[in-house]
Amino acid sequence: MTGRFTRREALGLGAAGLLGAGAAGGVLLSPRLASAAPEKKFKIALSNSFIGNKWRIEMENVFKAALQMEPFKSQVEGSWFNSGNDVSKQSQQISNLIAKKVDAIVVNAASPTGLNGILTQASERGILVVSFDNVVTAPSALKVNTDQVAFGRQLAEFLVKKLNGKGNVIMVTGVAGTTVDEDRNKGADAVWAQHPDIKVVNRYTGMWDSATAERNTASILPSLPQIDGIWCQGGTDGVLKAFISAKRPLPPTAGEAENGFRKFMLGYMDHKVDGLSIGQPPFLSVISLELARRILDKKYPKKDITIPFPFVTNDTVKQGETVFEKLPDSFFTDFTDSGPNATVKLCVEAATDGKPCPGELNVNLPSA
């Protein structure tokens, strides 16, 4: 993921923001929205472990954008905090939120277990806790996430189909020791086990970072035989650039949602790749916000949510909607979903600048 740190590396940035009541200017609500708005806004805070890569920036930006759109603008007073991937600092920030008696905390955690104590305290004091992306193991915290095993499996199944069950594949993995990396690899390995003629000739880390993936691929490629398929957790565009530099043909590629990868799916740098692009959507923060709002409004049960991955193929990748010519290769294009059953649709300005999109924001949670 070009020009960014890994999702779980710290940058030590401690920004905090607050959206106020938003009533200035005499905003007129439709009768439906006015009647739906509670007398007192729900106080919902985002506790984010760090803001040191493009994915995290987009994740926080779409959260900010959502707060400026209905129904959140009328019903939610939102705030956000970053802890620099410091468990102690994030714990202290959550402690401060407990003291302020917020109604809900949505959290992207620095540790799956390190915040359990303070989050349990929040739950015991009647604060709703919703954990997403890097979820926590505290039993009282609701979880909003994708199925990481399915991520690895779907990428592998794409390659098996493209290669007719036979060929040499490389696996570019993520950050070792994380549950995300382990689950994605597990999903892929289960598919390879069913297709013994698919040979994984090398697996190495790309650290979910395009620059790292490109560098590591460049160092390994000279020793490898013909590569018929690329399975990549992240940094996909960097892997493809290394193949181009080594004057290797671009094989079918199953990878993440980097803008650069999707540019290659359309045709980029005089090369085109047959690909499947899926990813961990930054809009998980918006899903968590909506889940918290509906639960507080007593319109949804307290339950974990697993959402499907937004994805594109060569048949569905579309300029200006799921790939963006003028945005950096490192930009994550799955900031929005697409299609008739989209979980949420957001404008690009929401992801790049935290600006609201026109109209009301509809978030389609799974059936209660």
Side-chain angles (χ1 to χ4, degrees):
M1 303 169 190
T2 306
R4 72 180 190 91
F5 293 91
T6 62
R7 287 178 192 155
R8 291 153 182 85
E9 285 181 348
L11 250 198
L13 298 179
L18 177 67
L19 280 184
V27 177
L28 296 178
L29 300 177
S30 68
R32 182 172 69 83
L33 288 175
S35 62
E39 292 182 3
K40 184 179 180 181
K41 290 187 176 183
F42 300 124
K43 294 181 180 180
I44 302 177
L46 167 63
S47 172
N48 179 41
S49 54
F50 78 107
I51 194 83
N53 62 39
K54 294 292 179 64
W55 192 94
R56 292 296 182 111
I57 292 170
E58 291 179 40
M59 177 275 292
E60 193 164 288
N61 278 346
V62 295
F63 180 87
K64 295 175 185 177
L67 289 171
Q68 300 170 73
M69 301 170 66
E70 297 295 356
F72 305 103
K73 183 176 180 180
S74 297
Q75 298 184 24
V76 175
E77 180 182 324
S79 55
W80 52 92
F81 302 87
N82 301 293
S83 67
N85 214 34
D86 184 322
V87 175
S88 296
K89 184 174 181 180
Q90 190 169 22
S91 181
Q92 183 58 54
Q93 289 174 343
I94 293 171
S95 179
N96 292 340
L97 292 172
I98 294 173
K100 292 178 181 178
K101 298 181 180 180
V102 298
D103 297 297
I105 301 170
V106 296
V107 57
N108 198 337
S111 164
T113 58
L115 298 174
N116 283 356
I118 192 65
L119 291 176
T120 300
Q121 286 184 37
S123 299
E124 290 173 345
R125 298 191 185 189
I127 297 172
L128 177 66
V129 176
V130 180
S131 173
F132 70 96
D133 187 38
N134 285 344
V135 295
V136 298
T137 58
S140 61
L142 300 182
K143 282 80 175 172
V144 173
N145 217 343
T146 50
D147 185 338
Q148 300 298 336
V149 175
F151 180 106
R153 182 180 68 247
Q154 290 170 16
L155 294 186
E157 288 172 346
F158 170 82
L159 291 179
V160 168
K161 182 177 180 180
K162 288 295 178 180
L163 303 182
N164 295 315
K166 185 176 183 178
N168 294 333
V169 170
I170 57 170
M171 287 182 65
V172 185
T173 60
V175 177
T178 62
T179 55
V180 172
D181 177 66
E182 292 170 357
D183 285 349
R184 291 177 175 183
N185 295 339
K186 186 188 302 181
D189 288 338
V191 174
W192 309 140
Q194 297 173 353
H195 300 276
D197 289 332
I198 296 285
K199 307 296 183 184
V200 179
V201 296
N202 206 307
R203 69 171 74 199
Y204 56 93
T205 184
M207 295 294 290
W208 296 323
D209 177 78
S210 289
T212 303
E214 181 175 2
R215 183 171 59 251
N216 290 353
T217 302
S219 67
I220 286 171
L221 265 181
S223 65
L224 297 183
Q226 173 182 311
I227 303 301
D228 304 302
I230 297 169
W231 181 99
C232 183
Q233 281 197 31
T236 321
D237 56 314
V239 176
L240 295 175
K241 289 171 183 176
F243 268 69
I244 292 172
S245 294
K247 298 186 174 4
R248 293 252 195 162
L250 300 186
T253 301
E256 255 266 21
E258 304 93 349
N259 197 41
F261 175 31
R262 293 185 176 183
K263 287 179 182 178
F264 278 115
M265 292 170 66
L266 281 178
Y268 184 43
M269 297 174 62
D270 296 323
H271 290 78
K272 187 174 182 178
V273 68
D274 189 359
L276 170 65
S277 171
I278 63 178
Q280 182 83 335
F283 62 72
L284 283 173
S285 60
V286 177
I287 304 299
S288 301
L289 174 65
E290 173 68 343
L291 177 62
R293 183 189 71 87
R294 287 201 205 175
I295 291 174
L296 292 171
D297 205 22
K298 299 184 176 9
K299 294 181 178 177
Y300 200 85
K302 290 185 178 181
K303 57 182 282 188
D304 297 344
I305 288 179
T306 300
I307 66 166
F309 292 104
F311 72 93
V312 299
T313 64
N314 284 64
D315 293 331
T316 60
V317 64
K318 189 172 182 180
Q319 185 64 251
E321 291 187 11
T322 54
V323 62
F324 302 89
E325 181 180 6
K326 295 182 180 180
L327 290 177
D329 290 355
S330 57
F331 180 75
F332 280 87
T333 51
D334 55 348
F335 69 91
T336 184
D337 204 352
S338 59
N341 300 314
T343 304
V344 60
K345 291 185 178 181
L346 290 158
C347 59
V348 67
E349 291 80 10
T352 56
D353 302 305
K355 294 182 178 179
C357 308
E360 186 174 350
L361 180 58
N362 294 311
V363 181
N364 297 315
L365 299 183
S367 299

